Amino acid sequence: MGRTFFLDQHGCAKNQVDGELLIARLEAKGLVRVDDPARADLIIVNSCGFIESAKKESLDSVMDARASYPNAKILLAGCLAERYADVFRTELEEADGILGNGDLSLIDGAVDSLFSGGRPVIKAPQKGVCGGDRDSLLSFKGSAYVKITEGCDNHCTFCAIPIIRGDLRSRPIAEVTDEIRSLVSRGVKEINLIGQDLAAYGCGKDDGADKGGSFRPGDKSFLRELMEAISALPGQFWVRLLYIHPDHFNTDILDLMEKDHRFLPYFDIPFQSGDDGIIRAMNRHGSAESYGNLIKTIRARFPDSSIRTTFLTGFPGESEEAAENTRAFLRTIRSDWSGCFAYSTEEGTPAAKMKGKVPHKKAEARAAALTEIQAAITQERLKSRVGRSYDVLVEEIIENKDGTDEGLAIGRAWFEAPEVDGNVVISYDLDDAKAVREIVPGALVRAHAVASSEFDISAEWERQG
């Protein structure tokens, strides 16, 4: 066997796609991927550099790899490498090389340098959107992420993404649809469109549109145009849109979603705050009222829709009144799911220089309060979904160790996004040959919801045909 590599994957779905592209390039170069770092000649830490806890986790992984596998070459890649390449050049001796994410094709030269005794430190300009064939997906079988944009022009004052990944740029429609067509032909049932802000698709300064706008005057949004091209593709698959900025949500996508039910009525809209003063301090242009009205618009068109959002607590200047306004906002919109995070100072962002710092423990307490509110709402929302049947994308089969004839599988229905939401637990009879044959990872099966818990639904497999 030739040289081997192990990928230690961190960060968001966008970074996962980058990891999959790195795998593809290394395998094309003749390296063999292994699932045990002890067997690897090269360990790649594909890092996250977005918030302090994620940065620490990635750095700890480098340190652990150096200590545990002294004979392996260790390459720090990803957002942390991109953000601090110049610092790590001299201050991270534990890494044998540094590779930013501006141009993932440069992994080829980085590996050649590593195994020739060099210490490459590579950081390319952030241009275009890295793409290519991804034979190995890091998602559960049957699901894939498809990146349609890179970078961001929104410049929220707390966010380091523009610092790390640069200005907004978008992939051509034909490139996106070709990738989806290929994934579907390989049996992928769920396509998750990702980007820092899907609403801004096609609106980067080099995308042929005015920078920062979501619509061409008097015409449809570019996101709608992309979705129409996806809608023209044949096949049975889901399309989920992840992360749409609320300030310029593309309402013209809703009628297309009504016509083509493969576009799931799942809306990931990160509001971040429900207080108007904090919203403005974040360099956002909406308000609690306008954001609430957006949810009303969506639910008027899709009464059964699933809403996910994100809140950032402890932003500089957040008073107790502002925190309560956000709690009231959450109770009003009654999102199905939400992530609640305490603010952490990110150097280079405008918020880092703002006055009115909130103690971290207080920010964490406010996040915990939102999490508690959301848990109660989620439980009620899931309870309302009991008694109905759903297509469920199977992710895992649970090994039966108690000698009974009950089989269990874990999957997700349309109202659950991968990794961040709950699951559907499907029970079936292990003596039923049809059930055993059909309930496999990557398959879409029909199941009837019979009960719900805090985050999950229990369901029974339904025989079809």
Side-chain angles (χ1 to χ4, degrees), residues 189-434:
K189 302 293 194 305
E190 177 184 64
I191 302 295
N192 297 287
L193 300 184
I194 58 171
Q196 195 58 30
D197 176 14
L198 299 191
Y201 172 79
C203 299
K205 65 180 183 297
D206 296 324
D207 290 342
D210 292 336
K211 183 178 179 182
S214 293
F215 294 86
R216 293 168 290 183
D219 206 346
K220 70 184 71 169
S221 69
F222 290 100
L223 180 60
R224 164 66 187 255
E225 194 172 283
L226 171 64
M227 290 172 62
E228 287 178 343
I230 295 172
S231 184
L233 297 175
Q236 181 190 16
F237 57 93
W238 291 345
V239 181
R240 188 187 307 275
L241 280 66
L242 295 179
Y243 199 105
I244 300 180
H245 195 291
D247 282 355
H248 36 85
F249 184 95
N250 317 75
T251 54
D252 67 341
I253 69 176
L254 298 179
D255 59 339
L256 179 61
M257 296 175 75
E258 287 177 330
K259 295 175 184 176
D260 188 341
H261 294 166
R262 293 178 299 179
F263 291 104
L264 303 178
Y266 180 102
F267 300 91
D268 183 359
I269 310 172
F271 292 116
Q272 305 298 357
S273 176
D275 177 79
D276 289 353
I278 296 299
I279 291 170
R280 288 190 295 273
M282 289 177 169
N283 193 35
R284 293 179 161 223
H285 309 294
S287 65
E289 181 179 10
S290 67
Y291 293 164
N293 287 337
L294 173 59
I295 295 300
K296 289 179 182 177
T297 297
I298 292 171
R299 284 186 171 145
R301 301 283 292 272
F302 299 93
D304 202 32
S305 58
S306 185
I307 307 291
R308 163 166 275 278
T309 190
T310 305
F311 294 105
L312 187 64
T313 61
F315 186 83
E318 185 185 58
S319 63
E320 287 297 337
E321 180 182 2
E324 176 53 38
N325 286 340
T326 296
R327 291 190 287 269
F329 176 74
L330 175 55
R331 294 186 186 100
T332 298
I333 65 168
R334 299 185 63 76
S335 49
D336 295 74
W337 315 96
S338 70
C340 308
F341 305 96
Y343 169 79
S344 65
T345 302
E346 291 300 316
E347 65 271 26
T349 63
K353 299 178 180 179
M354 290 182 178
K355 298 179 180 180
K357 302 297 184 186
V358 177
H360 190 65
K361 285 188 177 180
K362 182 174 288 187
E364 288 184 325
R366 291 173 180 175
L370 287 173
T371 298
E372 184 177 354
I373 294 169
Q374 181 62 70
I377 297 171
T378 296
Q379 195 166 4
E380 290 181 19
R381 295 288 291 169
L382 289 177
K383 188 176 181 180
S384 72
R385 300 191 188 280
V386 172
R388 289 182 278 173
S389 296
Y390 303 97
D391 289 332
V392 178
L393 178 60
V394 179
E395 293 184 335
E396 296 179 271
I397 305 299
I398 305 302
E399 182 181 356
N400 186 307
K401 296 181 178 181
D402 59 10
T404 69
D405 59 0
E406 182 184 36
L408 291 175
I410 297 176
R412 289 179 293 104
W414 67 265
F415 47 84
E416 298 160 320
E419 300 183 34
V420 293
D421 298 335
N423 294 102
V424 176
V425 180
I426 307 170
S427 61
Y428 59 100
D429 188 350
L430 288 173
D431 292 330
D432 189 325
K434 181 177 174 64

Side-chain angles (χ1 to χ4, degrees), residues 25-158:
R25 292 202 68 89
L26 290 175
E27 290 182 336
K29 192 173 174 62
L31 279 75
V32 178
R33 182 183 172 208
V34 294
D35 57 9
D36 180 359
R39 298 171 52 210
D41 300 311
L42 169 65
I43 296 174
I44 302 168
V45 178
N46 194 30
S47 63
C48 178
F50 186 51
I51 59 176
E52 196 62 34
S53 60
K55 288 186 280 188
K56 182 180 184 302
E57 179 183 288
S58 295
L59 283 175
D60 286 347
S61 293
V62 172
M63 304 300 184
D64 291 344
R66 179 78 293 153
S68 300
Y69 313 106
N71 296 323
K73 297 293 185 180
I74 299 173
L75 178 67
L76 176 65
C79 287
L80 191 67
E82 176 70 19
R83 190 173 184 182
Y84 299 107
D86 293 336
V87 174
F88 292 154
R89 183 186 300 273
T90 57
E91 296 187 14
L92 190 65
E93 296 179 355
E94 292 81 0
D96 296 303
I98 310 295
L99 175 68
N101 53 25
D103 184 352
L104 298 179
S105 70
L106 298 179
I107 184 72
D108 296 7
V111 169
D112 289 340
S113 177
L114 281 170
F115 287 115
S116 299
R119 187 176 187 269
V121 179
I122 301 173
K123 182 177 176 180
Q126 289 283 345
K127 293 183 178 179
V129 182
C130 295
D133 293 332
R134 293 178 288 143
D135 293 332
S136 298
L137 300 177
L138 300 175
S139 307
F140 282 108
K141 189 174 182 181
S143 180
Y145 293 107
V146 173
K147 190 188 297 188
I148 68 170
T149 68
E150 188 61 277
C152 188
D153 287 344
N154 290 322
H155 295 286
C156 298
T157 54
F158 59 84

